[in-house]
């Protein structure tokens, strides 16, 4: 029988908040810290993918950001934190696990967290990987009309079924017509996510109400080896956003995922995972 790679979920107190974390694999291996984007709990770094990375000689850490999953929540529309606080949470998790340096993987909104960590805390960052994110500079193409038209009206947070339908429709819209979008698997994940979330009303709005206080940092100041991963179907941050991010960070490389939207679909893990392993030290 194969030994389970997960060490189970646990709540840890960091910076006066509770954060839910889960680790996979041998703590003696190089650490990869996965940070997800707006409204997304750690479940969106799928267990199967985390296990696959861990089997190839990495210690994988995923966690619920504030206002997602089982971590501390705030009143809807009134997040009591900024991007700098979320970057502090990530560093606090490394401290709690007694990890000096880690490979940081940031998706979508959390690219701002990676920027702050890479510039202000470069001594803790072994490498950076930005997935489906952007420099946010002027002149880049906006999100496609299909994103806004495909996302339904905000649901009643008290109606779990309506919330699930809303999130599934939103994920589908953000897939950009990807041939890899799997509605059945997405719905199963969303149902699990909604069921374990402390306050879904806060999850749906608070990250969008948060202040970005990292604008004084410059991507050109990032010194860590950097991999940019971007889907060519991404309708939220179209592919030129990935090009701009690659060009902004000295020495960065771009991995374009053909057929991916604003996501990491399972059929493309055979592309993404080997690239991440190589970027974080090669296959062990």
């Amino acid at each position: 029988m194969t030994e389970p790679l997960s060490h189970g979920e646990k709540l840890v107190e960091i910076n006066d908040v509770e954060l839910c974390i889960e680790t996979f694999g041998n703590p003696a291996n190089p650490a990869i810290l996965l940070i997800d984007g707006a409204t997304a709990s750690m479940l969106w770094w799928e267990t199967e993918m985390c296990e696959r990375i861990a089997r190839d000689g990495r210690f994988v850490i995923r966690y619920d950001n504030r206002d997602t999953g089982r971590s501390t929540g705030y009143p809807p529309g009134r997040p009591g934190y900024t991007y700098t606080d979320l970057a502090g949470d990530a560093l606090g998790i490394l401290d709690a696990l007694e990890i000096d340096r880690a490979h940081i993987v940031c998706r979508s909104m959390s690219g701002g967290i990676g920027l702050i960590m890479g510039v202000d805390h470069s001594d803790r960052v072994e490498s950076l990987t930005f997935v489906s994110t952007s420099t946010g500079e002027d002149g880049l193409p906006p999100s496609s009309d299909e994103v806004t038209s495909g996302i339904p009206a905000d649901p009643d947070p008290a109606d779990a079924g309506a919330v699930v339908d809303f999130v599934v429709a939103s994920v589908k819209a953000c897939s950009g017509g990807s041939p890899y979008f799997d509605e059945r698997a997405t719905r199963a994940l969303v149902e699990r996510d909604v069921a374990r979330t402390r306050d879904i009303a806060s999850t749906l709005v608070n990250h969008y109400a948060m202040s970005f206080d990292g604008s004084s940092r410059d991507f050109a100041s990032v010194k860590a080896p950097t991999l940019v991963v971007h889907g060519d179907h991404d309708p939220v941050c179209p592919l030129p956003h990935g090009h701009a991010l690659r060009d902004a960070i000295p020495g960065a490389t771009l991995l374009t995922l053909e057929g991916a939207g604003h996501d990491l679909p399972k059929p493309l893990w055979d592309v993404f995972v080997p690239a991440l392993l190589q970027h974080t030290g090669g296959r062990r």
Side-chain angles (χ1 to χ4, degrees), residues 60-132:
V60 179
I61 309 149
R62 66 177 184 176
Y63 69 100
D64 295 329
N65 262 318
R66 303 188 196 196
D67 275 319
T68 71
R70 298 175 61 202
S71 291
T72 292
Y74 296 76
R78 290 186 287 145
Y81 51 87
T82 65
Y83 273 77
T84 295
D85 294 316
L86 297 187
D89 291 347
L91 294 167
I93 288 171
L94 298 183
D95 291 340
L97 296 173
E98 299 183 341
I99 296 170
D100 291 331
R101 292 170 64 86
H103 301 278
I104 310 300
V105 182
C106 303
R107 181 154 56 182
S108 192
M109 175 205 79
S110 69
I113 299 172
L115 172 62
I116 293 170
M117 294 181 72
V119 174
D120 293 358
H121 305 281
S122 59
D123 59 320
R124 307 297 301 276
V125 178
E126 196 71 39
S127 75
L128 280 165
T129 300
F130 293 100
V131 181
S132 304

Side-chain angles (χ1 to χ4, degrees), residues 208-236:
Y208 299 113
M210 177 176 52
S211 170
F212 177 59
D213 56 347
S215 58
S216 62
R217 285 79 167 180
D218 187 343
F219 281 100
S221 299
V222 171
K223 304 302 182 186
T226 300
L227 174 66
V228 176
V229 181
H230 217 97
D232 66 355
H233 280 51
D234 191 336
V236 179

